Amino acid sequence: MISSIRPITFDQEILKLLDQRLLPSEEVYLTMKSIEDCSRAIQEMVVRGAPLIGFTGIWGMALFIKHNPKATLEQFVRAADYLKDARPTAVNLAFEIDRCVEMARLETHMNALYPKLISHAKSEMNNLYEKNLLMAQTAETELISIYGDRPLNIMTICNTGVLACGVLGTALGVVSYLHSKNKIKHVYASETRPYLQGSRLTSFELLKEKIPHHIIVEGASSYLLKNKMVDAIFAGADRIVENGDTANKIGTSTLSIVAKHYGVPFYIVAPISSFDLNLDTGDKIEIELRNQNEILKYKDQFISHPDALALNPSFDVTDHKCITGIICENGLIRPTSPEHVRRVVEKR
Ligand code: MRU
């Protein structure tokens, strides 16, 4: 389960990000020299996935203080606001950057912050591995209660593995963990238009781990669920609010509605850093609208008429009523009511 894929590396003070735009055909690392480099890498999706953009946020703040050791707290907060703007929907970015600001507030000499932020970034990534493992074990217990101990057919959307988390993964972490226990029969990875996180990234991870799978187009989900080819669906999250409504990659909501129709259990798997209990319902989540060329073109080639227009919301909000349960490091949240969400998330 320890993957050989390293989406972030930090060696001899050099921060490098694996350019996920080029996967799976090329494995190229880009060096990040400044907070601006990190912001651009997040915006342009060199790095993506809610937890990983959160970690890149910490590295970005570390680079800011490295180059501005005499910065005032106000300047640090301004830099934090700038970096938080890189992508709006995943709350992990703001969550991690706000924690950097809290660390800065406690500091009397800002130049002491650089090594502290570096070790904070490293320990956050290591801690996530333990959390992901707890989530996978909770998912396993839940699946045993439904299906007993037999190998299962699992469907997933987007990429929620090492490439999205830096370590094991959330929804895809469940798949890796179950596979390590010989409990995966087959995986169906939704292609995930337009950025193709499923066909380019999830399949890449599944191939590395030799997990049997097929890529499917988004529109095929109803065919598979109607024909009882899937035992359970696992998806990640970019922001989960108080009533359990969950923003995740565009298409997740559609999949959850189809799952409910055919009675297939549908789970969200996400760390507590993906919860935003300041919002009471999903209607209040800002949805990122991305460039239409992600839809109209493949690489630099138009695949639609050059005059066509495309609307490109990058996320949608899955209604809590369509979610069987939300799994975080503190356990399974079911029912997905505000009281229950708070009770589990705020459990110490
Ligand atoms: O646009 P992306 O690739 O950053 O979107 C990622 C997703 O929607 C993931 O499902 C989500 O961040 C969970 S990652 C563990």
Side-chain angles (χ1 to χ4, degrees):
M1 275 190 319
I2 304 282
S3 171
S4 58
I5 304 170
R6 295 272 171 279
I8 292 188
T9 67
F10 185 72
D11 192 24
Q12 302 192 345
E13 302 241 326
I14 310 278
L15 174 66
K16 291 188 178 171
L17 299 180
L18 177 60
D19 188 345
Q20 298 197 24
R21 298 169 303 181
L22 304 179
L23 291 174
S25 31
E26 288 175 71
E27 292 183 43
V28 174
Y29 282 86
L30 301 180
T31 302
M32 298 292 114
K33 295 197 173 128
S34 63
I35 184 173
E36 289 81 10
D37 285 351
C38 291
S39 168
R40 214 170 304 117
I42 293 171
Q43 244 164 36
E44 294 175 5
M45 291 172 74
V46 168
V47 66
R48 30 71 47 204
L52 203 66
I53 62 179
F55 299 144
T56 309
I58 309 176
W59 291 107
M61 294 314 298
L63 285 172
F64 172 78
I65 212 66
K66 181 182 182 184
H67 296 304
N68 302 279
K70 295 194 175 134
T72 61
L73 182 60
E74 290 71 42
Q75 287 167 327
F76 192 81
V77 170
R78 260 203 305 281
D81 289 342
Y82 156 77
L83 193 51
K84 280 197 271 186
D85 272 352
R87 287 192 79 189
T89 304
V91 71
N92 307 59
L93 183 61
F95 177 94
E96 297 294 359
I97 293 175
D98 285 343
R99 284 174 57 185
C100 298
V101 171
E102 278 166 35
M103 287 170 71
R105 286 192 202 286
L106 299 175
E107 209 53 71
T108 29
H109 300 290
M110 287 293 256
N111 59 1
L113 202 53
Y114 176 65
K116 289 186 186 167
L117 288 176
I118 297 293
S119 59
H120 177 60
K122 290 180 182 169
S123 75
E124 281 292 277
M125 276 178 66
N126 291 337
N127 292 344
L128 187 61
Y129 182 82
E130 300 305 324
K131 293 174 187 172
N132 284 172
L133 203 55
L134 286 172
M135 296 175 211
Q137 287 161 347
T138 301
E140 180 189 28
T141 307
E142 167 72 0
L143 291 170
I144 289 175
S145 75
I146 306 174
Y147 296 110
D149 228 0
R150 71 169 169 83
L152 297 168
N153 295 307
I154 302 294
M155 186 186 280
T156 188
I157 181 167
C158 196
N159 171 266
T160 58
V162 177
L163 288 167
C165 298
V167 288
L168 185 59
T170 54
L172 204 59
V174 171
V175 169
S176 295
Y177 176 77
L178 292 177
H179 174 69
S180 74
K181 301 186 88 183
N182 293 319
K183 288 183 177 176
I184 289 289
K185 192 167 170 200
H186 207 79
V187 176
Y188 295 100
S190 190
E191 169 186 52
T192 319
R193 281 275 293 152
Y195 192 72
L196 305 177
Q197 288 93 332
S199 52
R200 292 189 308 106
L201 308 179
T202 296
S203 175
F204 175 73
E205 291 198 31
L206 292 171
L207 285 170
K208 288 234 178 208
E209 289 194 54
K210 300 189 171 42
I211 302 180
H213 67 283
H214 279 108
I215 297 165
I216 55 160
V217 297
E218 239 97 88
S221 60
S222 154
Y223 170 89
L224 274 87
L225 300 191
K226 185 177 169 66
N227 287 297
K228 305 199 182 320
M229 294 165 72
V230 175
D231 296 304
I233 301 168
F234 289 92
D238 288 83
R239 195 181 290 243
I240 304 168
V241 300
E242 194 191 25
N243 72 346
D245 288 353
T246 297
N248 193 52
K249 182 50 55 193
I250 192 80
T252 307
S253 168
T254 319
L255 184 56
S256 75
I257 293 166
V258 179
K260 190 168 184 194
H261 182 77
Y262 289 114
V264 177
F266 179 96
Y267 299 95
I268 294 292
V269 187
I272 287 171
S273 55
S274 298
F275 285 75
D276 180 358
L277 302 187
N278 296 318
L279 302 183
D280 54 356
T281 75
D283 306 341
K284 305 205 171 120
I285 301 174
E286 179 180 350
I287 299 293
E288 175 184 5
L289 287 173
R290 293 187 62 85
N291 193 300
Q292 65 168 358
N293 283 337
E294 288 183 353
I295 294 177
L296 299 177
K297 289 181 170 180
Y298 182 69
K299 301 208 165 156
D300 285 331
Q301 185 76 35
F302 271 106
I303 52 172
S304 309
H305 192 286
D307 294 340
L309 299 177
L311 185 65
N312 189 11
S314 193
F315 301 93
D316 58 21
V317 175
T318 298
D319 194 307
H320 65 277
K321 294 192 205 86
C322 295
I323 299 172
T324 310
I326 301 175
I327 296 169
C328 67
E329 59 268 40
N330 284 356
L332 173 68
I333 304 174
R334 183 175 53 207
T336 50
S337 61
E339 303 68 43
H340 215 75
V341 169
R342 274 201 182 272
R343 195 167 338 126
V344 177
V345 169
E346 287 170 353
K347 186 164 78 185
R348 298 272 164 233

